[in-house]
Amino acid sequence: MKIVVLMGSPNVNGSTGILVENFKKGAEEAGHTVEIIDVCHADIHPCIGCVRCGYEGPCVQKDDVEQIRKKLLASDMVVFATPLYYYGMSAQLKTVVDRFCAYNSSLNSRHLKSALLTVAWNADDWTFDALQAHYKTLVRYINFKDCGMVLGYGCGTPSMTKRSGYPQQAYQLGKGLRG
Ligand SMILES: Cc1cc2nc3c(=O)[nH]c(=O)nc-3n(C[C@H](O)[C@H](O)[C@H](O)COP(=O)(O)O)c2cc1C
């Protein structure tokens, strides 16, 4: 499979990045190709809600979303990677998701596989409730097929994350992908 990771942490070598690298290693060992798109350092502007695209058509904004659109529509799987920011995904990742607006129908008809990789400082059992609900709702709406989530509780710093079992979980998620 061709897998695209939307890397939504501005810390390339942070905790989210650790999960992403482990996922990539596992997926590549299983024969997949993995491309990581650093959405935080790309030129991506928020949707302005003009709906000139009609939910499927050229966007009036000319930025790096055009490349992301091409890559996603040519892929078999998308991975959402994000630190938990105020109990949701990072604004940088949400900005990319909102821009799905201009290729909503195309994305819907691709039936992509998907996964969620995330980390948080908090370790309470409710830490990821809101993000999980959002991810599951997005997947349901846009006709993706969820292949798994790695929810990194208590992963507040790279050293905390490295000491946890979550990098291994991310590796196993990648390694176990079929298709
Ligand atoms: C703006 C911001 C908001 C955050 N919000 C939360 C939060 O709501 N809950 C939580 O447990 N941790 C929160 N954190 C902590 C990060 O999720 C955590 O430190 C994570 O490991 C950062 O990942 P990174 O190394 O990829 O940047 C927040 C951090 C920042 C910078």
Side-chain angles (χ1 to χ4, degrees):
M1 284 196 296
K2 273 191 190 169
I3 304 172
V4 169
V5 179
L6 298 175
M7 167 54 167
S9 171
N11 294 314
V12 178
N13 298 313
S15 295
T16 309
I18 292 170
L19 297 195
V20 166
E21 284 307 321
N22 278 272
F23 170 85
K24 182 174 190 277
K25 186 169 183 284
E28 287 178 345
E29 282 178 16
H32 307 292
T33 62
V34 180
E35 180 172 5
I36 300 168
I37 303 179
D38 174 1
V39 304
C40 297
H41 299 98
D43 178 32
I44 301 172
H45 300 267
C47 177
I48 56 171
C50 66
V51 198
R52 290 269 295 281
C53 61
Y55 301 107
E56 183 65 46
C59 180
V60 295
Q61 304 198 76
K62 303 301 171 205
D63 59 16
D64 288 343
V65 166
E66 184 53 21
Q67 284 304 316
I68 294 176
R69 182 185 74 85
K70 283 188 190 143
K71 286 176 181 179
L72 278 182
L73 293 179
S75 73
D76 305 294
M77 178 171 185
V78 56
V79 177
F80 298 94
T82 181
L84 192 69
Y85 277 4
Y86 290 92
Y87 298 95
M89 64 178 69
S90 68
Q92 293 93 330
L93 182 58
K94 180 61 163 56
T95 302
V96 174
V97 171
D98 289 350
R99 295 283 301 279
F100 285 175
C101 180
Y103 53 112
N104 197 68
S105 309
S106 314
L107 210 46
N108 208 292
S109 59
R110 289 283 298 130
H111 297 271
L112 297 183
K113 292 183 175 154
S114 71
L116 174 68
L117 304 177
T118 183
V119 288
W121 190 286
N122 202 349
D124 292 308
D125 59 1
W126 48 266
T127 299
F128 293 106
D129 285 0
L131 179 60
Q132 251 185 298
H134 184 189
Y135 168 73
K136 284 183 184 172
T137 306
L138 176 64
V139 161
R140 179 177 178 166
Y141 165 69
I142 210 151
N143 264 312
F144 291 166
K145 185 186 178 311
D146 174 46
C147 294
M149 293 176 250
V150 177
L151 309 175
Y153 296 84
C155 291
T157 63
S159 57
M160 289 160 81
T161 304
K162 281 181 194 153
R163 281 198 305 272
S164 75
Y166 299 111
Q168 181 64 17
Q169 272 189 32
Y171 170 80
Q172 291 297 350
L173 177 59
K175 182 101 182 170
L177 290 172
R178 300 283 168 265

